[in-house]
Amino acid sequence: MTNPPDKADEARLIERSARGDAKAFTRVYQLYRDRVFGFALRMLGDYQTAEDVTHEAFIALIEHPERYRPERGSLLTFLCGVARNHILLHWRRRGYQLEDQIEDDWEIASPGEAQNPLNNFLGRERAATVAAAVDGLPVLQREALVLREFQELSYAEIASVTSTSVDVIKMRLRRARQSLTSRLSGYLNSEEGSHELQRSTTKSRTCA
């Protein structure tokens, strides 16, 4: 995995890219393309649409470099934020309801919840069964889970990408994990099922 540049080098790459420097743009693209595409693909489930969304994110950076504010977050969070706008537009055009179902219980995930077998399983590998369960989550819950478990963003970074608060992100993650735990309980509690899933898995994390 290639290490990202520091803030100063990153700013210079963006400035040079905006001036038409192909090498600078290629460098930025190589650094972040896979992470942005991985997020888009898991949210959309369609390769070509994910490619289009990824393309739009980088075009926005080159055409409007002033929109990226380093003090607000990393370049990755900016690109994922642009991609997210296109992803949500995609779902809205198809009539998908994106609002959270607000509940009276605003319980926030406890530190111990992050260590449950489901999270460990998601962090290691992604079987077809798990993929189907993740794809069946409501869009905003799936988004939080993908950014946390597969793209490895912090709560603060996810909140920045989604223009919401850390508490809301924790709430969405809690609901997503509860739903997945319920759907996958047979596999999580079955040693035989776990072995079967491990044999059919692919790597879950997308390298930068």
Side-chain angles (χ1 to χ4, degrees), residues 41-43 45 126 130-138 142 180 183:
L41 182 60
R42 289 191 174 99
M43 290 301 300
R126 190 181 191 222
V130 178
V134 172
D135 290 345
L137 291 171
R142 189 195 323 165
L180 288 181
R183 296 182 188 196

Side-chain angles (χ1 to χ4, degrees), residues 21-78:
D21 187 325
K23 289 184 177 180
F25 175 78
T26 299
R27 172 63 172 158
V28 173
Y29 187 79
Q30 289 174 339
L31 283 168
Y32 299 108
R33 183 267 179 192
D34 287 351
R35 300 283 298 276
V36 178
F37 175 75
F39 167 51
L41 182 60
R42 289 191 174 99
M43 290 301 300
L44 295 165
D46 180 79
Y47 190 94
Q48 186 56 58
T49 307
E51 285 276 21
D52 292 343
V53 164
T54 302
H55 176 77
E56 291 295 335
F58 283 93
I59 290 299
L61 175 66
I62 301 308
E63 292 184 346
H64 303 284
E66 74 282 355
R67 293 181 182 174
Y68 169 55
R69 302 287 185 84
E71 67 274 12
R72 294 182 180 178
S74 68
L75 181 54
L76 176 61
T77 61
F78 171 81

Side-chain angles (χ1 to χ4, degrees), residues 106-116 119 148-149 155 167 169-171 173-175 177-178:
W106 263 63
E107 175 188 350
I108 301 302
S110 65
E113 196 172 326
Q115 302 301 320
N116 69 34
N119 293 345
R148 179 64 175 171
E149 300 294 344
Y155 292 128
D167 281 353
I169 294 304
K170 289 182 177 180
M171 178 189 67
L173 280 169
R174 176 177 63 85
R175 292 175 179 170
R177 289 163 175 163
Q178 288 175 340

Side-chain angles (χ1 to χ4, degrees), residues 143-181:
E143 173 184 75
L145 189 78
V146 167
L147 290 172
R148 179 64 175 171
E149 300 294 344
F150 298 108
Q151 300 303 320
E152 301 181 278
L153 298 189
S154 68
Y155 292 128
E157 288 174 324
I158 300 171
S160 177
V161 169
T162 58
S163 300
T164 188
S165 70
V166 168
D167 281 353
V168 168
I169 294 304
K170 289 182 177 180
M171 178 189 67
R172 291 174 183 171
L173 280 169
R174 176 177 63 85
R175 292 175 179 170
R177 289 163 175 163
Q178 288 175 340
S179 179
L180 288 181
T181 298

Side-chain angles (χ1 to χ4, degrees), residues 92-109:
R92 288 191 180 105
R93 284 173 174 170
R94 284 152 181 77
Y96 201 98
Q97 298 299 315
L98 302 177
E99 292 77 10
D100 280 320
Q101 294 182 349
I102 302 301
E103 301 174 357
D104 293 334
D105 175 16
W106 263 63
E107 175 188 350
I108 301 302

